[in-house]
Amino acid sequence: MTELAVAPAPSDFIRDVVAEDLRTGKHTRIVTRFPPEPNGYLHIGHAKSICLNFGIAHEFNGICNVRMDDTNPTKEETEYVDSIMADVYWLIDGWADKNLGGAPLYTSDYFDRLYQFAVELIAKGKAYVDDMTAEETDEFRRLGKASRFRNRPAEENRDLFERMKGGEFPDGTRTLRAKIDVNAPNVWLRDPVLYRIRHASHHHTGDKWCVYPMYDWAHTLSDYIEGITHSVCTLEFEVHRPLYDWILQALELSPPVPHQYEFARLNLTYTVMSKRKLIQLVNEKLVNGWDDPRMLTISGLRRRGVTASALRAFAYNIGITKYPGMTDMAVLDHTIRDEFNRTAERRLVVLHPLKVLLTNYPEGKVEELEAVNNPEDENAGRRKVPFSRELFIDAADFMETPPPKYFRLKPGGEVRLKYAYIIKCDEVVKDSSGNVTELRCTVDLDSKSGGATSNRKVKGTIHWVSAAKANDAEVRLYDRLFTAVEPDASGDFKSFINPHSLDVVTAKCEPALADATPEKRYQFERLGYFTLDPDSTATKQVWNRTVTLKDTWAKEAKRS
RNA sequence: UACCCCGUGGUGUAACGGUAACACAGCGCCCUUUGGAGGCGUUAUUCUUGGUUCGAAUCCAAGCGGGGUAGCCA
């Protein structure tokens, strides 16, 4: 099993529609799109959407456009465009052709055409310039009342709209509104605003414009312009769909026209997903930037060590529906472990070193013992691990007064050192304040792994490194960022930040780990999966714990 | 409040009028030189009430519950 996570093509209600439209000949080539607003970094919820839209294009031989939905100059920045494209390419690379979507497109590149469409709508008597304030507009809409400017002659509307574009009027003084039905049951049909005045510099069009289209106008027509067949968005836009369809009909656009479909956005336990909250975490320095490995941003997940293929497998596992549920973070963890168990090479690393002296093992002797790189993959080969008189084991693998069912080292007890010998703890050395500083043990020389007399069983097997040959490395142990299942369910989500979400230790690593590369994932035996962080230098490795191993002992220990 | 959408084990999904299944989580056992992985088993599900039908998770109606929308944000 070297092919990973190439799951069978998933099926869901949207793919069903796509397949049907192809079957009936309604469409001959599928075009989807992923339309982020460049006002923040992409998160795992966007990954779900990317996998859906690119997935459909990929499976049905179509294309998927990445389109910056940049109609609000006051919120959008080029930095975000760059991060978004980096994330999208990373996520789809090796799975769908990058050129499936090509270079990023921009709604702002269509501003001229969108403006012309608006002029057309005015000419058809289906839009008018309104002079009411934002507050008045809101109130009238709530009351279902018509604006007193609603019946302006088309020519006056045309003139006013042109002068809006010309910059004659200050921000907020006028809007262009669709003339639909001020009393419609669906509030989005109560003469929605199509254009507003914003004397602001735009990240992509500079100072060319001072009127900017609203989402519904821009998005619908951008879909049409690009020949989108299936415009897939999240549930909160469901009530916009009648407006989407109205716009296409009002302009009497020739078919085929796009159709909008909605699915439930991703909700995950123990995290927050809204851009507003993520940006707060960054700005208030509660995390170290957008790509902090504790963030559920795509860049954060990438830095943490999650692979694109694992993220895609996750998107596949959770499915697509209209039910707005809450997915357990355990599903993400499981998906990552599932892949890494098959692909990650094993290494011995001691996180919290406790010295062990083997009293009956010769001083100065070094044995090169053989270790399996990956028990799940024979092709991963073997390596040598040096063994000597002084070792480090993890402090958690020794207890002076252990609870029942503790299989590791204890005074007078025995344990197997992985790939090496069985040792017995004879003596516990402590400092003046009673802390254990060293263990004196004896080796059963007949118990060497792979040897003729190695068959003796002991209950526990622990990892270790040779003190003389070990290399130091910084290891960043990440845990979930929030302690509450739903941090934003009530109160201030920041009050649920996990104070132990990051623990930094200096670990002792076996020599073979020195050759590690950033692309590879490693399992530190019995501890978890780890990835080299970009903070690493030629002289110092920095490791991120992507996810722990499943730990049934922790559960057992909690019980007693 | 109005309008729209959605209700299948604890969680996420499947079953497309014909035996309610899969994954995660949980529990138990087996195996294990990772308390990992793996294997086996197990707990537990169609919101309610009517209707249509030989037959309903599926279609219809009402109720109940949950979510969304009511920015000159997207």
Side-chain angles (χ1 to χ4, degrees):
Chain A
M1 273 300 282
T2 48
E3 268 311 275
L4 33 114
V6 183
S11 160
D12 53 65
F13 72 99
I14 296 176
R15 277 179 247 245
D16 287 349
V17 171
V18 172
E20 179 68 5
D21 288 349
L22 243 20
R23 193 188 66 77
T24 62
K26 180 178 177 185
H27 299 291
T28 50
R29 185 215 208 184
I30 300 303
V31 186
T32 57
R33 100 273 88 108
F34 173 64
E37 184 188 14
N39 69 344
Y41 278 60
L42 262 26
H43 54 64
I44 192 168
H46 295 108
K48 177 180 180 183
S49 178
I50 293 167
C51 289
L52 212 212
N53 281 295
F54 275 89
I56 289 171
H58 183 237
E59 292 150 29
F60 294 94
N61 245 312
I63 61 170
C64 177
N65 295 344
V66 179
R67 179 170 77 229
M68 299 299 153
D69 212 353
D70 53 353
T71 56
N72 185 355
T74 59
K75 286 189 173 178
E76 296 147 8
E77 294 172 28
T78 305
E79 178 204 343
Y80 296 128
V81 173
D82 298 339
S83 76
I84 287 168
M85 291 316 294
D87 290 346
V88 170
Y89 282 160
W90 173 78
L91 183 57
I92 68 168
D93 191 30
W95 164 59
D97 188 346
K98 266 189 194 180
N99 296 318
L100 205 59
L105 303 173
Y106 295 85
T107 298
S108 54
D109 279 338
Y110 310 139
F111 279 174
D112 280 298
R113 296 176 72 179
L114 298 178
Y115 181 84
Q116 282 312 316
F117 276 130
V119 170
E120 241 178 84
L121 196 68
I122 291 169
K124 288 173 184 290
K126 293 175 182 172
Y128 60 97
V129 171
D130 197 339
D131 301 359
M132 291 203 301
T133 64
E135 295 70 34
E136 269 182 304
T137 308
D138 276 1
E139 194 189 336
F140 275 50
R141 205 200 315 269
R142 269 196 297 276
L143 269 28
K145 276 172 60 183
S147 163
R148 56 193 174 279
F149 302 100
R150 192 168 196 261
N151 288 316
R152 277 219 257 238
E155 178 50 31
E156 189 181 334
N157 286 321
R158 191 201 58 75
D159 175 61
L160 249 17
F161 188 47
E162 195 173 317
R163 286 160 64 192
M164 280 167 64
K165 181 194 177 199
E168 268 188 55
F169 312 119
D171 289 5
T173 54
R174 285 185 167 82
T175 58
L176 181 73
R177 292 230 260 161
K179 193 170 178 177
I180 307 178
D181 177 1
V182 295
N183 215 5
N186 180 338
V187 291
W188 285 101
L189 260 18
R190 318 248 263 225
D191 287 15
V193 172
L194 267 22
Y195 272 87
R196 77 287 216 190
I197 302 171
R198 280 258 209 290
H199 291 268
S201 207
H202 185 279
H203 78 100
H204 193 61
T205 59
D207 295 318
K208 181 177 175 189
W209 295 88
C210 63
V211 288
Y212 289 93
M214 295 288 290
Y215 164 81
D216 295 284
W217 186 252
H219 189 261
T220 305
L221 293 169
S222 298
D223 280 350
Y224 179 74
I225 289 166
E226 293 179 8
I228 302 300
T229 55
H230 302 264
S231 183
V232 182
C233 60
T234 44
L235 252 24
E236 65 267 31
F237 295 102
E238 208 159 22
V239 290
H240 290 239
R241 179 153 30 95
L243 177 55
Y244 188 98
D245 294 336
W246 182 89
I247 290 170
L248 297 170
Q249 279 166 21
L251 289 169
E252 297 169 75
L253 297 172
S254 55
V257 293
H259 196 277
Q260 176 181 302
Y261 302 89
E262 309 87 13
F263 71 98
R265 67 175 340 129
L266 172 64
N267 293 307
L268 264 186
T269 57
Y270 297 103
T271 191
V272 294
M273 209 67 90
S274 87
K275 274 190 196 173
R276 208 193 90 249
K277 287 176 178 130
L278 293 178
I279 207 166
Q280 239 178 302
L281 293 170
V282 173
N283 288 343
E284 296 176 26
K285 306 216 181 302
L286 297 165
V287 295
N288 302 314
W290 285 102
D291 69 342
D292 186 302
R294 290 167 295 183
M295 293 278 274
L296 273 287
T297 51
I298 294 181
S299 53
L301 289 161
R302 178 169 61 229
R303 184 166 182 177
R304 178 134 169 182
V306 179
T307 55
S309 51
L311 213 42
R312 275 182 249 131
F314 173 69
Y316 168 75
N317 285 343
I318 58 177
I320 300 292
T321 63
K322 300 189 77 156
Y323 179 75
M326 176 73 67
T327 298
D328 195 331
M329 185 75 90
V331 177
L332 212 212
D333 291 344
H334 170 265
T335 308
I336 297 166
R337 290 188 190 114
D338 188 45
E339 175 180 306
F340 290 11
N341 176 51
R342 285 179 279 122
T343 59
E345 289 194 8
R346 274 59 168 170
R347 294 292 184 267
L348 297 177
V349 174
V350 171
L351 259 22
H352 300 97
L354 171 60
K355 185 177 275 190
V356 170
L357 184 70
L358 304 175
T359 50
N360 64 334
Y361 195 84
E363 262 177 83
K365 179 177 179 181
V366 177
E367 276 186 278
E368 295 288 336
L369 303 175
E370 192 173 67
V372 172
N373 282 331
N374 184 352
E376 307 292 320
D377 178 12
E378 195 48 48
N379 296 326
R382 285 148 198 271
R383 69 183 188 283
K384 297 293 185 185
V385 184
F387 185 86
S388 54
R389 180 178 162 93
E390 281 190 27
L391 310 171
F392 291 114
I393 65 167
D394 248 308
D397 288 333
F398 171 79
M399 280 186 96
E400 196 168 16
T401 49
K405 294 189 186 173
Y406 185 82
F407 301 158
R408 288 112 100 165
L409 246 203
K410 56 189 174 189
E414 283 190 317
V415 78
R416 159 76 67 180
L417 296 176
K418 180 91 180 175
Y419 306 124
Y421 298 90
I422 294 171
I423 61 169
K424 180 178 180 188
C425 177
D426 304 316
E427 189 187 346
V428 180
V429 182
K430 298 180 185 178
D431 63 16
S432 52
S433 40
N435 301 311
V436 177
T437 57
E438 186 181 320
L439 303 177
R440 300 273 164 91
C441 301
T442 44
V443 186
D444 173 357
L445 271 349
D446 290 333
S447 67
K448 184 171 164 181
S449 288
T453 52
S454 68
N455 287 335
R456 190 158 68 88
K457 304 287 180 198
V458 287
K459 194 71 180 164
T461 299
I462 65 173
H463 58 281
W464 53 274
V465 294
S466 158
K469 302 287 184 178
N471 298 314
D472 283 358
E474 177 177 326
V475 178
R476 298 173 181 171
L477 304 169
Y478 295 105
D479 197 358
R480 53 173 66 120
L481 225 205
F482 295 96
T483 54
V485 179
E486 276 183 88
D488 48 5
S490 64
D492 181 13
F493 74 101
K494 287 177 288 182
S495 65
F496 299 109
I497 286 187
N498 178 5
H500 309 295
S501 61
L502 171 59
D503 182 21
V504 182
V505 300
T506 300
K508 300 287 184 185
C509 310
E510 67 161 290
L513 198 62
D515 303 326
T517 62
E519 305 79 47
K520 290 179 77 173
R521 304 292 174 267
Y522 298 87
Q523 184 196 110
F524 294 178
E525 291 225 33
R526 303 207 310 130
L527 298 172
Y529 296 100
F530 294 77
T531 309
L532 231 27
D533 187 86
D535 283 349
S536 299
T537 65
T539 52
K540 182 191 178 191
Q541 288 183 334
V542 177
W543 290 91
N544 294 325
R545 182 173 68 195
T546 309
V547 65
T548 60
L549 250 35
K550 198 168 115 188
D551 189 353
T552 46
W553 163 247
K555 221 177 298 172
E556 178 66 36
K558 200 183 275 184
R559 226 179 290 184
S560 54

